[in-house]
Amino acid sequence: MAGWPRVSHEPDDITPRILDFLRRIGVRVSTADLPGKSFLPGIEIEAGGLRVDPSRLQHPGDLLHEAGHLAVLPPDQRCQQGAEVSNDPAQEMMAIAWSWAALTHLALSPEVVFHADGYKGDAQWLIDTYSAGTFIALPMLQWIGLSADPSHAEALGIAPYPHMIRWLREEEATHDAIEH
């Protein structure tokens, strides 16, 4: 994939950048020993925030995906989110799109988030699809007020997705600001 910066996949190189970004955008992050089993090694969602065990974290990009799940929830649901994230396909698609925007913002290689161990074998397909400019779930991110497609972005005088208007969903009806 020409044009994408190649970065180390070592947690010591990427994890601090990701954690700093998440904290700056308002995702609560804490470090802790997480000896138990979790859905993704070294990461737990607790009370709307992320708990991270850097010694067990296998893929730093998983932090962006899990944060994406939190980011697309309305604030009242986000603060109540526990370890089990929704298996709602729409929320999963929005978390993927949010993750792409975040890795683009951080100038990370897509493989940092979309690694071979995740996405039920579809990581390369997701990389190819997003790299080709087919932004699955962009209409949903636009609906909740996080980003805009090119025509809406032009009308608003902002950059289009993967640029984000905001990183965290606000109230339920934020789509009103980006209607036709």
Side-chain angles (χ1 to χ4, degrees):
M1 289 205 355
W4 282 101
R6 294 296 171 211
V7 295
S8 169
H9 292 264
E10 294 300 315
D12 289 343
D13 295 340
I14 298 170
T15 303
R17 282 182 60 203
I18 292 173
L19 293 176
D20 179 60
F21 167 73
L22 294 175
R23 288 179 177 120
R24 280 187 289 116
I25 65 166
V27 175
R28 194 171 35 77
V29 180
S30 62
T31 56
D33 289 328
L34 302 174
K37 186 169 174 63
S38 56
F39 180 71
L40 292 172
I43 305 171
E44 286 184 355
I45 294 177
E46 180 181 79
L50 296 177
R51 294 181 57 199
V52 183
D53 184 339
S55 69
R56 294 193 59 233
L57 184 64
Q58 291 181 3
H59 299 285
D62 288 345
L63 291 164
L64 291 176
H65 183 78
E66 292 305 288
H69 278 283
L70 293 171
V72 301
L73 291 172
D76 60 326
Q77 292 177 28
R78 185 181 317 121
C79 68
Q80 296 174 18
Q81 182 64 57
E84 296 297 320
V85 297
S86 171
N87 61 0
D88 175 16
Q91 187 187 70
E92 180 65 22
M93 290 169 47
M94 285 191 290
I96 289 169
W98 189 95
S99 300
W100 185 267
L103 73 84
T104 302
H105 177 79
L106 293 169
L108 297 174
S109 173
E111 292 84 2
V112 170
V113 174
F114 301 101
H115 52 80
D117 294 335
Y119 303 93
K120 299 178 182 176
D122 286 335
Q124 189 59 54
W125 177 81
L126 288 165
I127 291 170
D128 294 344
T129 300
Y130 275 82
S131 294
T134 302
F135 300 129
I136 301 165
L138 173 54
M140 290 182 276
L141 290 183
Q142 182 168 284
W143 180 257
I144 64 172
L146 297 185
S147 193
D149 65 30
S151 64
H152 287 95
E154 184 177 350
L156 294 169
I158 61 170
Y161 178 86
H163 168 79
M164 298 292 275
I165 297 167
R166 66 184 56 85
W167 288 101
L168 299 177
R169 184 174 181 177
E170 293 178 350
E171 297 305 316
E172 194 65 38
T174 57
H175 64 275
D176 293 337
I178 306 178
E179 287 189 15
H180 297 329

